[in-house]
Amino acid sequence: MHRIAVFSASRDSVRDGIASADVGDRLQFWIRRDPDGAVEYAGAIHGGVFSRFDLGGPDQALIEVHYRIGVLLRARFGGLAARAELYHVSSHLGDEFLVDSGVRPISTSREGLEFLLQGSPLPGITVYGGPGVLLRTSRDLDRLSLRAGADWESSPAAHARFYASVDLFTWAESEWEPALATELGAALGRGARLGLLFGLGPSRAEQFFRESERLLGVTISYVR
């Protein structure tokens, strides 16, 4: 998914105007289906860059960027799918933000495994969830995490199409405090979306994951 967002972020009594730019995609390198299409196996390389910029400063400086790359294996049996991802994550603060704020960077570089089950109980609705475990970290981070969520999109036959999503992530390192992200909006075309974003809980920005924040903003995204 590719997404650009502009939002207000309240973090530890500090409110900032922030823009984010997320670029992520996957390159499929293997797929196998049975003749009737009920069973499918696939493999892909999945990567992304997720960045935040300070809209309140004179130079709209880069605040934080983190990178994620992984190998994804997926199996589908009818309407039920399971996937496993072996991934690497690393993060960095922007140079100008470091100089201006005096914030000390932290190292969250790590490798891990995430397992998700996905199903579609009703037309247009997808639900997912599963555990994660860290295999290696650059510091002594707690290893277990959980992710769950749901996506809904109205019928393609409708004149106007709408969507809603909710994603919940909780990590032992954050004492299982949930990070919630919800989005609601309209589908503008094939894969294009315009929505409202609301987030609550530990920051999804890697360098600030120990700080709770509240996000409210507008997003433009493309989902392939």
Side-chain angles (χ1 to χ4, degrees), residues 24-30 42-48 68-73 85-86 224:
D25 211 340
R26 64 183 58 172
L27 175 63
Q28 186 169 281
F29 60 80
W30 172 64
I45 297 173
H46 185 211
R68 180 173 176 135
I69 186 168
V71 178
L72 180 71
L73 298 176
E85 183 186 9
L86 176 65
R224 190 158 69 93

Side-chain angles (χ1 to χ4, degrees), residues 97-117:
F97 179 78
L98 270 173
V99 172
D100 293 341
S101 66
V103 172
R104 291 185 61 186
I106 61 175
S107 176
T108 61
S109 176
R110 61 191 186 273
E111 285 80 45
L113 274 171
E114 186 174 64
F115 304 92
L116 291 177
L117 287 177

Side-chain angles (χ1 to χ4, degrees), residues 14 20 28 32-33 38 40 79 94 144:
V14 176
S20 68
Q28 186 169 281
R32 181 177 179 180
R33 296 188 181 97
E40 177 183 285
L144 297 181

Side-chain angles (χ1 to χ4, degrees), residues 26 42 45 53 95 112 114 122 127 129 142 144 165 190 201-202 220:
R26 64 183 58 172
I45 297 173
F53 300 88
D95 292 339
E114 186 174 64
L122 295 171
V127 296
D142 284 336
L144 297 181
S165 68
R190 187 183 177 112
I220 300 174

